[in-house]
Amino acid sequence: MKASLPNVTLPHLTPAEKKGLQDYWRVYEAHREEITAQVMQMASQHPEFKSIVQNAASQPSAEQQAASYNLQRNAILHDAWEPYLKNMQLQGMVYARTGLSFHAWFEIVGAFRRHILPYLLDAYSKTPQRLLDSMSGVDILIDTAMSVIGNSYLETKEELIREQAEAVRDAIQQKRSEEKFRALLESAPDAVVVVDRMGIIQVVNSQVEKLFGYNRAEIVGQSIEILVPKHLRKRHIKHREEYYIEHPVRPMGIGLELFGLRKNGTEFPVEISLGPLESEEGLLVSAAIRDVTQRKRNEDEIKKLNDDLKQRAAQLEAANKELESFSYSVSHDLRAPLRTIDGFSQALLEDHSEQLPPEARGHLERVRSAAQRMAILIDDLLNLSRITRAPLQLRFINLSAMAQEIAQALRESQPERQAEVSITPGLMVDGDPHLLHIALQNLLSNAWKFTSKQKQAIIEFGQQSRHNKERTFFVRDNGVGFDMAYADKLFGVFQRLHSMSEFPGTGVGLATVQRIINIHGGRIWAESAEGKGATFYFTL
Amino acid sequence: MENKMILLVEDNPDDEALTIRALKKNNIGNKVVVARDGAEALDFLFFTGAFADRDPRDVPQVILLDLKLPKVDGLEVLRQIRADERTHLLPVVILTSSKEEQDRLKGYSLGANSYVRKPVDFNQFVEAVRQLGLYWLILNEAPPR
């Protein structure tokens, strides 16, 4: 509502007009009561005024009536228009606010005009000019007053419309933000409870109903402690009251185990985030509650698995240590007797050769070669066990160069052999150079060994194919090959498919290769047929 | 006058006999003193215990040291040799069955001059001893005393 109304336009009247007005006033004053009664009579039957007139409470008091009368009088008789017209402005405002139509007001004014006319005719019938002037005085008064009232009325109406529009806008806004808030609340993954200063629950979302087993209606208006286990309530009230003083956004109960209480009396572990909410009703606090039963269970499970794993790792480490000390003593103690056997056999051969028949010397040679073979066997086994003990040292290495170097050494070991070794150049891989050297050494030595009876040995090293990231390499020879029926024995320790006299070996080589390829994450397999050569494939 | 002798620290009598045989086969005629455990070796080197009154002119030209020894093991013997100023410059050759990396690493880091693995094949052993004798007894100039 406007604090003040605009200034009113004061009428500029000629002396004749003023005189006419005063003539009207004299007649009105003389017959005020009759005229008022007649107008009131009319108003009491008017559909709009009826209720106002009949309602005693809405009637102006005698004082108000007197004041209004005096204002009109002073305007007409003493030219004091402003107070009168200001009062009319107020009247217009009041009419507009009470909802009376302007049209109805005109009807009342018209009635007044009709009712005063006979009195004017009666008073001034003998002086027609005075009669006309007094009649136009009535019109001047009505025009002046009504134009002020009308303006005020219209302005007020406009004001009202603006106010209503604003109110509607505000209401819509309010509704929207409430809806937004509610949607937000419902879409939250957590159960959200909003409480006031006193800890009374104001709003909850449907997750609260699900989590705690209450209907909304059952807990809104209740103390928040209804959701807290009994033994924790005292502590909760204290913390809650402290929170109102500072109210930061933070998780609740840092370092404390928190629990919720369901309607059915069961407790469950929770995690709670707190945040302040400024509202018209003052500071509210929202609590987002999450059931962490499953998470706790998972944590426990993980902890248990971790403990198991630790225990296993400790066992494994112990086993590894044992293996290490085992291979250490194998390395030391198993070889010593072999040295004695070989050394003293040799001493016998050297020192007592004449006393020994040739057969005995042959036997001693057999003893020596067996001791030496056993030494090689021990070394091979130790190498095999060492492969799994040492951690992988990955480097970017050139397998082709490595194979070339090995093949060169093989050629030099038996320069008399006819052998064609072809190696695809530039095969680069990520791997442990030491271990892959052992693997290639074994595969190429095997190929070299098993082609020894070939007039022209052909040995090949290359890459066969590439599927995604896995690459398949191969070592192929045209040697004696083997029966695929025994293919599954090929990679077992001490498994041999040929007799010692035919092709010597310990039966540890391919087991070692397989272990090396496996710890690189690859696979190894072979294809062959007796007398048709063999191909060993491995992936890296 | 010093005797260019060899101190052989070896607990296995078979290995002892074979080592001495291998030295002989290579015509290495130096005097060989055998200590049968680590404590005995230290007694010899530091003139203690049974060796308190030994001939001080016997100065090892090279020590052939086994690792697995009773009482005091070979690595500990080596540590004490290197820690004492009377012996810290003596050439020490570790002569052992083991080719375990850990032994080799510890041996060298404690200051061994060589590390030789005793081969099972006696002929190879003779060759190894020949090279050792050649280097440590003939070519190598002993440190100034």
Side-chain angles (χ1 to χ4, degrees), chain A residues 294-529:
Chain A
Q294 190 57 38
R295 209 192 62 198
K296 285 252 183 252
R297 208 174 286 152
N298 290 348
E299 279 171 3
D300 288 351
E301 184 74 7
I302 286 168
K303 193 178 170 303
K304 196 173 157 294
L305 287 174
N306 242 334
D307 289 349
D308 281 1
L309 207 61
K310 270 189 199 144
Q311 203 184 342
R312 294 253 175 105
Q315 284 170 352
L316 200 63
E317 200 177 332
N320 234 338
K321 279 243 167 68
E322 212 166 288
L323 184 68
E324 225 164 282
S325 71
F326 173 74
S327 33
Y328 186 82
S329 56
V330 164
S331 178
H332 273 275
D333 301 342
L334 243 53
R335 295 178 87 255
L338 292 175
R339 268 200 311 280
T340 304
I341 295 167
D342 185 83
F344 286 94
S345 303
Q346 178 69 9
L348 266 179
L349 285 168
E350 287 173 358
D351 298 354
H352 308 283
S353 194
E354 307 88 67
Q355 287 117 292
L356 292 171
E359 198 187 358
R361 286 204 295 273
H363 291 169
L364 278 173
E365 288 297 349
R366 278 173 192 253
V367 170
R368 285 197 65 209
S369 82
Q372 285 166 24
R373 209 156 56 73
M374 184 153 171
I376 295 169
L377 210 56
I378 289 171
D379 282 354
D380 282 357
L381 276 178
L382 286 176
N383 282 335
L384 179 61
S385 81
R386 202 170 286 131
I387 285 162
T388 36
R389 277 189 282 150
L392 272 189
Q393 309 271 345
L394 289 185
R395 303 270 184 285
F396 192 50
I397 49 176
N398 188 337
L399 273 188
S400 304
M402 202 179 259
Q404 199 65 258
E405 192 186 299
I406 293 164
Q408 186 57 33
L410 289 169
R411 275 200 206 94
E412 283 166 10
S413 70
Q414 288 176 293
E416 70 284 0
R417 277 189 55 184
Q418 291 288 314
E420 181 192 321
V421 183
S422 66
I423 290 164
T424 306
L427 297 176
M428 306 294 293
V429 293
D430 286 312
D432 185 310
H434 175 65
L435 294 182
L436 287 180
H437 191 274
I438 294 174
L440 272 184
Q441 171 83 50
N442 271 296
L443 290 173
L444 289 168
S445 300
N446 278 352
W448 184 262
K449 180 164 70 182
F450 293 110
T451 51
S452 59
K453 300 200 164 101
Q454 250 37 49
K455 273 213 180 77
Q456 171 73 38
I458 300 170
I459 297 169
E460 239 183 300
F461 170 64
Q463 180 177 329
Q464 193 198 31
S465 60
R466 187 171 191 155
H467 290 296
N468 299 323
K469 289 190 88 175
E470 193 181 70
R471 297 155 74 185
T472 303
F473 301 93
F474 65 87
V475 174
R476 179 173 295 136
D477 65 59
N478 64 339
V480 292
F482 59 88
D483 185 345
M484 283 297 280
Y486 305 115
D488 57 328
K489 288 192 167 178
L490 219 48
F491 300 100
V493 183
F494 298 133
Q495 295 291 340
R496 291 177 42 77
L497 300 185
H498 302 277
S499 70
M500 207 51 151
S501 57
E502 209 179 1
F503 296 102
T506 57
V508 181
L510 283 177
T512 305
V513 175
Q514 185 181 44
R515 201 167 286 187
I516 289 171
I517 298 302
N518 285 350
I519 62 174
H520 278 83
R523 296 169 292 119
I524 182 164
W525 69 98
E527 279 170 13
S528 180

Side-chain angles (χ1 to χ4, degrees), chain B residues 122-135:
Chain B
F122 184 71
N123 292 333
Q124 286 177 25
F125 186 49
V126 170
E127 174 58 19
V129 170
R130 188 184 71 78
Q131 287 179 13
L132 275 179
L134 189 68
Y135 183 75

